[in-house]
């Protein structure tokens, strides 16, 4: 049973509906034991003063971090400079949450969600200290993660929206930053020539992942555009944030539980790929023949205990 609290922080009706839903799971006999235990634990959490307080606090934090994350995903390949003020604003907003007024507001909002909660002065002082520690840790981590972010301006070299202007005026400053960041990695003269050819060819005005895919499928990546291929691979393996990889690790925890501790690495890797790439899988599943093709492929690999397909003798 997987629940998201993200949109119910400040909605008392939704919060109460959630409490009633998990309470019903514990009382109705149709649910399995694991679901009942999970719901029971969640119900206790929804009545816990600390839990509801941090539900409110992180709801405020997520308002800022989600905005920056989405902005970075949209702009990190096209305009690094525009991302830097967003990161600075994020740190400022988190710093602004670090005050007594915010702590008291979070306590009051938690009481609005659950009237049974109490926050005496001693409890508020404890939460204040923890809140300050959390926010300080977040700010420090942001400083560490984005310390070298301005140096990534070179990724704009493969921003397909700028190729026409780059053909008129080669992005020399960004090109030099690339060579400074990765010395002895590229053949500078050849890379410059390959980029010039890419910039002038409308058919190659593609995002980095599509451009790389095009060069590989056209067998141009080894002899014709080896340096641009290397550049695209570099850009595509530099995450603007580490959120994607961290979410992948969270996915692994959900897949390999204590009830599945004998799962092999191959199976774990395959299930993780399905979970992580669920959007891509959803698009593929729109093809009405997709499921049948998967079953046929699975059945043909080896004999199964059950008859997935009827084989002709």
């Amino acid at each position: 049973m997987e629940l998201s609290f993200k949109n119910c922080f400040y909605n008392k009706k939704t919060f109460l509906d959630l409490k009633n839903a998990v309470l019903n799971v514990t009382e109705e006999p149709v649910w399995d034991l694991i679901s009942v235990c999970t719901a029971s634990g969640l119900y206790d959490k929804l009545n816990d003063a600390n839990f509801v307080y941090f539900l409110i606090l992180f709801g405020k934090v997520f308002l800022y971090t989600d905005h920056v994350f989405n902005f970075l995903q949209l702009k990190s390949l096209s305009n690094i400079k525009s991302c830097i003020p967003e990161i600075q604003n994020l740190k400022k907003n988190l710093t602004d949450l670090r005050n007594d007024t915010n702590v008291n507001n979070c306590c009051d909002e938690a009481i609005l969600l659950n009237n049974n909660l109490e926050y005496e002065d001693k409890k508020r002082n404890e939460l204040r200290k923890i809140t300050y520690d959390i926010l300080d840790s977040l700010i420090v981590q942001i400083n560490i993660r984005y310390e070298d972010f301005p140096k990534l301006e070179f990724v704009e070299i493969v921003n397909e929206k700028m190729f026409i202007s780059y053909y008129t005026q080669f992005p020399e400053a960004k090109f030099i930053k690339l060579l400074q960041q990765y010395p002895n990695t590229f053949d500078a003269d050849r890379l410059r020539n390959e980029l010039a050819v890419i910039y002038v060819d409308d058919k190659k005005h593609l995002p980095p992942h599509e451009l790389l895919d095009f060069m590989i499928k056209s067998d141009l990546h080894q002899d014709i555009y080896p340096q641009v291929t290397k550049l695209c691979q570099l850009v595509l393996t530099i995450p603007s944030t580490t959120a994607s990889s961290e979410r992948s690790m969270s996915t692994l925890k959900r897949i390999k539980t204590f009830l599945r501790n004998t799962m092999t690495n191959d199976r774990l890797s395959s299930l993780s790929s399905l979970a992580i790439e669920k959007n891509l899988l959803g698009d593929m599943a729109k093809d009405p023949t997709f499921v049948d093709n998967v079953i046929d492929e699975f059945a043909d690999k080896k004999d199964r205990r059950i008859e997935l397909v009827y084989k002709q003798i």
Side-chain angles (χ1 to χ4, degrees), residues 71-92:
F71 190 90
L72 293 180
Q73 296 300 306
L74 181 65
K75 295 290 187 179
S76 59
L77 284 179
S78 60
N79 193 342
I80 290 291
K81 289 183 178 179
S82 68
C83 296
I84 297 175
E86 294 294 330
I87 296 172
Q88 297 297 332
N89 288 336
L90 172 60
K91 292 191 291 186
K92 179 182 181 302

Side-chain angles (χ1 to χ4, degrees), residues 6-241:
K6 200 166 190 179
N7 296 320
C8 69
F9 291 123
Y10 307 108
N11 188 324
K12 183 171 183 177
K13 181 180 182 303
T14 306
F15 185 85
L16 293 177
D17 289 344
L18 178 61
K19 284 184 63 177
N20 291 331
V22 295
L23 183 61
N24 289 337
V25 173
T26 64
E27 295 175 345
E28 294 178 357
V30 297
W31 294 92
D32 60 274
L33 181 60
I34 294 179
S35 296
V36 171
C37 292
T38 303
S40 178
L42 181 54
Y43 184 79
D44 290 340
K45 288 294 184 182
L46 295 176
N47 288 293
D48 180 78
N50 287 351
F51 183 84
V52 179
Y53 171 86
F54 288 116
L55 207 59
I56 299 293
L57 175 64
F58 281 102
K60 296 181 179 182
V61 171
F62 290 155
L63 289 176
Y64 301 124
T65 57
D66 280 2
H67 167 74
V68 174
F69 175 77
N70 293 330
F71 190 90
L72 293 180
Q73 296 300 306
L74 181 65
K75 295 290 187 179
S76 59
L77 284 179
S78 60
N79 193 342
I80 290 291
K81 289 183 178 179
S82 68
C83 296
I84 297 175
E86 294 294 330
I87 296 172
Q88 297 297 332
N89 288 336
L90 172 60
K91 292 191 291 186
K92 179 182 181 302
N93 289 329
L94 294 180
T95 302
D96 290 342
L97 291 177
R98 193 184 183 282
N99 58 70
D100 292 351
T101 301
N102 178 59
V103 173
N104 290 326
N105 287 341
C106 287
C107 291
D108 294 339
E109 291 172 29
I111 294 174
L112 288 176
L113 288 183
N114 190 333
N115 296 330
N116 297 323
L117 301 180
E118 294 182 359
Y119 294 93
E120 299 177 352
D121 290 342
K122 182 179 179 181
K123 169 64 73 174
R124 293 187 182 227
N125 289 332
E126 292 175 355
L127 291 173
R128 179 182 298 106
K129 182 179 183 304
I130 299 174
T131 299
Y132 288 2
D133 289 343
I134 290 173
L135 294 174
D136 288 343
S137 177
L138 289 174
I139 294 170
V140 169
Q141 289 299 318
I142 291 172
N143 287 330
I144 293 173
R145 293 188 182 199
Y146 297 105
E147 180 180 7
D148 295 327
F149 198 76
K151 298 179 182 178
L152 298 180
E153 190 176 354
F154 67 83
V155 302
E156 297 177 16
I157 291 175
V158 289
N159 175 16
E160 76 282 359
K161 296 179 181 178
M162 299 295 295
F163 282 1
I164 295 177
S165 62
Y166 287 164
Y167 170 66
T168 305
Q169 184 175 1
F170 189 82
E172 191 67 33
K174 298 179 178 64
F175 187 77
I176 292 175
K177 284 189 176 182
L178 169 65
L179 300 179
Q180 290 174 342
Q181 286 294 109
Y182 296 92
N184 305 320
T185 302
F186 296 95
D187 182 333
D189 292 334
R190 179 158 186 173
L191 176 59
R192 184 191 299 272
N193 292 334
E194 291 178 12
L195 286 171
V197 175
I198 295 288
Y199 293 156
V200 75
D201 189 350
D202 292 344
K203 295 181 180 179
K204 298 183 179 67
H205 289 188
L206 303 169
H209 65 285
E210 294 183 15
L211 179 60
L212 179 61
D213 187 55
F214 170 79
M215 291 187 294
I216 293 175
K217 289 182 177 179
S218 303
D219 198 22
L220 302 174
H221 61 295
Q222 292 182 336
D223 298 326
I224 309 301
Y225 299 110
Q227 298 301 309
V228 172
T229 298
K230 189 186 300 184
L231 175 59
C232 289
Q233 291 172 334
L234 171 64
V235 169
L236 292 172
T237 52
I238 299 178
S240 57
T241 72

